[in-house]
Amino acid sequence: MRRLERTLLLKNYRQLCTLSKASFSPMLDTQGSDQARLYFDGNPPSRNILSCNRMLAAHVRNDQTPIAQDLFDQMLVKDVVSWNTMLTGLQKAKNPHGVNRCFLQMRRDGFRPSEYTISTVLNAFLGTAFNVLVSQIHALVVRLALSSSVFVGSALIKGYANTGDQIALSRVFDEIPMKDVSSSNALVSSYMELGCTHEAQRVFDVMLERNIVSWTSLVSGYINNKRINKARSVFDKMRERNVVSWTVMISGYVKNQKFMDALDLFLLMLKSGALPNHFTFSSVLDACAGCSSLIMGQQVHSSILKLGTPEDVIMSTSLVDMYAKCGDIEAAFCVFGFMPRKNLVTWNSIIGGSARHGLATRALDKFERMIKCGVRPDEVTFVNVLSACGHGGMVEKGEKLFNSMKAKFGIEPNVEHYACMVDLYARAGNLEEAEKLIQWMPFQPDVVIWVALLGACGLHSSLQLGEFAAKEIEKLRNDHPAIYSTLSKIHGERGVWDSVLEFRKIMKEKHIQKQIAGSWVESQYRIR
DNA sequence: TTAGGGTTAG
C-alpha cells in the first residue's frame, strides 16, 4: 500500500472515531464505505441511535436496501426516524409488500406514524394492489391529526387519483390549510390523471405561485389526455424550461407517433443549451427508430458518448431497439453485448430484432442464454421466438416452444401466440394444420389470424382456403387491402386473368392501395 | 438522521 493511501485511510478512521460529530454518510458515499462498515460493525458501544440512523440513511441513499434491512433488524433501539428510513428504503426498492409489513410492525411495536411515515407509505402503494388501503390510511391521518401537513396532503391526493376518487382528492386539497406549490401541482397532475383537463387547467389558472413543475405537469397532463397540440401551445408559453420539460414534450410526440416533430424539438433543445439526460435520449432514440433514421440514431448515440451520459438500462435498451429497427442488427448486437445490466425488455428487444431480421437461430440462441441468465420470459418473449421460428421455417421447434409456454413457464398463450402458430404452419405449407388450429383455438379468430392464413394461401397458391379466409376477414373488417391483392395474386398465378382484372377494378373503385414494401436503405433517404 | 409535485424501453 502506498504511503498516500495509508495516510488517507488513517484519516478516514480518525474521522470515524469522532462518532458523536461525524456522519457516516460522506464515508459511505465515497471509497470509505467498506472501512466505515467495518469500523461500525466492530464497535458495538458506538452504536447509538443517531449513528445507526445515519448509517441506515446512507445505505438507503446508496440503494443498498438489503444491507439497510440487516442493520435495521440488528438495531436493539429504534425511533420513528429509523422506521421512516427503513420504509423509504423499501419504497425505493419498489417493494410495497415490504413497506406494508414494515408499517404494520411499526404500529404493532407502538410507534406513532409521523408525516414522513404516511407520505412514504402512500407513495409506495401508488399503482399497486395496496392502493385499496388509501382511505384507511386517510382515516388514520385524521385520527393522528396529520391532515394539515402539505406532505401528507400531496400523498393522499396522488393516492386518491390512483384509485380514481375525484371527490376525495379535491376534498383532501381543500382541507390543507397552508397549500403550497407542490400540493397544487399534485392536484393538477391528479386531475389530469383522471382525464379532468378542465379542472386541472382551472387549478393551474388560479395558482398564486407557479414553478417549472406546475407548467410541466400541465404539458404532461395534456399529452396523456391525447391533446398534443394543446400541450405544445402550453410548452411554447413556458418562460423557462429544463431537461424534464423538454423531455416531456419530446416523449409526447413519440407517444403520438410524431417522430419528426420529436426530432425537431430535440434539435431545438440542443440549440437552447439544455443538456439531455438518459430519459431524453431514450425518447429520442425511440423517435429515430420510429422513422427508421439510422443516421440520426448514430448521431444520437455519439452524443450519448460525448456527453458521458451514465449507463442506464432503459436508454441502452432503446439503443439496441433503434439499431435493430433501423436495419443495423450487428450494431444492436454490439450494444447489447457491452451492456453491464440487461433486463427482460432488453432480451426481448434483441430477440425480436433478430427475428425481424430473419436470424432465427440467433434469436433462439439469445432466448436460451436469457433463460440461463435466470431471466423469466413473458408473453412478448414468446411472440418473438415463435415469429423467429415462423420466419426460419422451424415448425417443430416452434411447436415445442408453444407447448412449453404453459407447462414450463406458466404463461397462457394469447391470440397473438396463436397467430404466430397459424403463420408458422401456413408459411411452412401446412395449411391443413393452420386451419385446424384456428378451429380449435380458445379464442374467436381475429383479423391478424385470418390475414396470416390468407398470406400463406397467397404464398402457396391455395385458392379455396384463401377465399374462405378472405370472407372471414371481410366479416371482421371491410375492404382490407390484403384480401384483394392476395386473391388477385393467386388468380394471376393460376392464369385466371379475368378475375385478376376484376380484383384490380374493385381496388381502383374502392381506392384500395397495395401496401408498398420498402427497404431500410430506401427509408434512410426518405428522411430529410 | 427520515417524506411530497413534472420525464425513458420490448
Side-chain angles (χ1 to χ4, degrees):
Chain A
M1 190 183 285
R2 286 198 315 224
R3 204 169 158 185
L4 177 66
E5 286 170 335
R6 267 208 314 270
T7 318
L8 280 172
L9 260 182
L10 197 66
K11 206 176 152 199
N12 263 355
Y13 274 89
R14 277 198 195 124
Q15 280 180 335
L16 281 164
C17 290
T18 50
L19 279 171
S20 54
K21 285 182 189 166
S23 158
F24 281 101
S25 324
M27 313 291 290
L28 281 164
D29 291 339
T30 60
Q31 293 174 339
S33 168
D34 289 341
Q35 286 93 339
R37 266 188 65 203
L38 272 175
Y39 181 86
F40 188 83
D41 290 346
N43 290 273
S46 71
R47 293 182 191 179
N48 59 44
I49 197 155
L50 182 63
S51 57
C52 280
N53 284 348
R54 280 177 175 161
M55 193 77 176
L56 202 58
H59 286 309
V60 166
R61 249 198 319 277
N62 292 329
D63 295 319
Q64 296 170 315
T65 308
I67 300 174
Q69 183 78 64
D70 282 348
L71 174 60
F72 181 78
D73 293 342
Q74 284 169 32
M75 284 168 70
L76 299 175
V77 184
K78 295 175 183 120
D79 64 6
V80 70
V81 175
S82 330
W83 286 97
N84 291 344
T85 311
M86 192 62 245
L87 285 166
T88 304
L90 294 164
Q91 183 227 3
K92 273 183 82 183
K94 296 197 185 348
N95 180 359
H97 280 93
V99 169
N100 187 46
R101 226 176 296 128
C102 185
F103 182 54
L104 290 176
Q105 193 57 49
M106 176 188 184
R107 308 246 32 229
R108 265 186 231 118
D109 289 1
F111 286 90
R112 184 185 188 275
S114 68
E115 301 170 54
Y116 287 82
T117 324
I118 301 296
S119 61
T120 306
V121 170
L122 283 169
N123 273 307
F125 289 171
L126 281 180
T128 73
F130 289 97
N131 67 6
V132 292
L133 298 173
V134 172
S135 51
Q136 286 187 44
I137 296 172
H138 190 186
L140 180 68
V141 165
V142 174
R143 228 178 42 224
L144 296 171
L146 294 172
S147 311
S148 57
S149 157
V150 279
F151 286 93
V152 171
S154 303
L156 275 172
I157 289 167
K158 300 289 296 167
Y160 277 124
N162 201 230
T163 56
D165 196 337
Q166 192 194 332
I167 296 169
L169 72 87
S170 67
R171 201 173 292 162
V172 168
F173 182 74
D174 290 341
E175 283 169 10
I176 302 174
M178 302 282 281
K179 300 166 181 52
D180 66 354
V181 66
S182 295
S183 47
S184 302
N185 291 344
L187 189 65
V188 170
S189 57
S190 293
Y191 274 138
M192 284 295 195
E193 193 181 327
L194 297 181
C196 312
T197 50
H198 285 99
E199 281 82 354
Q201 182 71 58
R202 189 183 47 79
V203 173
F204 179 84
D205 289 341
V206 299
M207 276 170 73
L208 298 173
E209 183 200 347
R210 292 181 201 133
N211 59 16
I212 200 160
V213 180
S214 325
W215 284 89
T216 312
S217 303
L218 201 66
V219 173
S220 173
Y222 278 121
I223 288 166
N224 293 332
N225 282 285
K226 313 225 176 299
R227 304 263 312 270
I228 188 78
N229 293 333
K230 178 69 183 167
R232 181 59 192 262
S233 87
V234 175
F235 179 82
D236 287 340
K237 283 182 193 136
M238 290 175 76
R239 261 185 290 177
E240 53 161 350
R241 301 180 186 110
N242 62 11
V243 61
V244 182
S245 35
W246 282 103
T247 306
V248 165
M249 198 62 236
I250 291 169
S251 71
Y253 278 129
V254 176
K255 280 177 202 155
N256 283 271
Q257 314 263 301
K258 294 179 176 249
F259 305 119
M260 290 311 294
D261 287 323
L263 294 178
D264 281 340
L265 198 65
F266 177 60
L267 295 179
L268 270 181
M269 176 187 181
L270 296 181
K271 265 189 200 160
S272 80
L275 278 185
N277 63 13
H278 59 287
F279 289 93
T280 327
F281 281 127
S282 186
S283 292
V284 173
L285 287 166
D286 213 22
C288 298
C291 52
S292 307
S293 176
L294 180 62
I295 294 168
M296 192 71 188
Q298 285 167 331
Q299 285 178 0
V300 174
H301 191 180
S302 304
S303 307
I304 292 170
L305 300 173
K306 267 188 220 159
L307 287 174
T309 313
E311 145 72 28
D312 173 74
V313 69
I314 298 182
M315 182 181 72
S316 299
T317 302
S318 300
L319 255 177
V320 169
D321 189 54
M322 180 277 293
Y323 276 122
K325 285 185 177 155
C326 292
D328 193 347
I329 191 68
E330 287 309 322
F333 280 122
C334 184
V335 173
F336 178 85
F338 278 107
M339 280 174 72
R341 279 186 312 134
K342 300 173 179 81
N343 64 19
L344 174 62
V345 183
T346 320
W347 285 101
N348 284 349
S349 299
I350 199 70
I351 295 170
S354 309
R356 285 195 303 274
H357 280 78
L359 302 170
T361 315
R362 278 181 101 167
L364 296 175
D365 174 56
K366 290 286 177 217
F367 175 72
E368 298 295 334
R369 277 187 53 201
M370 168 186 170
I371 306 289
K372 273 190 193 141
C373 290
V375 179
R376 269 187 82 82
D378 70 352
E379 318 78 55
V380 181
T381 322
F382 279 102
V383 170
N384 291 340
V385 285
L386 293 176
S387 79
C389 292
H391 290 290
M394 303 160 106
V395 178
E396 270 180 42
K397 180 72 186 169
E399 279 175 332
K400 213 173 152 190
L401 284 165
F402 183 75
N403 294 329
S404 76
M405 284 180 68
K406 183 78 201 298
K408 205 168 162 190
F409 300 101
I411 300 168
E412 199 73 58
N414 64 31
V415 70
E416 266 192 278
H417 301 112
Y418 277 93
C420 287
M421 290 309 286
V422 169
D423 191 56
L424 174 81
Y425 286 129
R427 272 174 193 269
N430 195 345
L431 296 173
E432 217 172 279
E433 197 63 39
E435 200 186 352
K436 220 193 296 173
L437 190 68
I438 294 175
Q439 274 172 359
W440 291 104
M441 61 189 260
F443 308 96
Q444 266 314 53
D446 65 1
V447 178
V448 180
I449 301 252
W450 291 118
V451 169
L453 186 65
L454 178 66
C457 290
L459 213 63
H460 299 284
S461 290
S462 172
L463 182 59
Q464 207 186 350
L465 192 58
E467 280 180 330
F468 177 70
K471 272 184 194 148
E472 294 298 324
I473 296 170
E474 221 163 9
K475 278 186 210 165
L476 296 165
R477 205 195 118 181
N478 205 12
D479 292 341
H480 195 292
I483 301 174
Y484 303 99
S485 54
T486 313
L487 289 184
S488 158
K489 180 178 175 281
I490 301 173
H491 280 102
E493 275 163 3
R494 291 172 167 238
V496 192
W497 299 110
D498 289 350
S499 302
V500 173
L501 290 173
E502 186 62 25
F503 280 121
R504 289 196 182 157
K505 200 177 148 199
I506 298 171
M507 285 173 79
K508 208 172 174 184
E509 277 169 8
K510 296 192 173 184
H511 304 290
I512 298 168
Q513 273 195 335
K514 188 173 180 272
Q515 280 182 329
I516 303 160
S519 69
W520 274 308
V521 177
E522 193 189 326
S523 68
Q524 300 314 303
Y525 299 99
R526 245 183 265 148
I527 308 300
R528 301 266 131 138

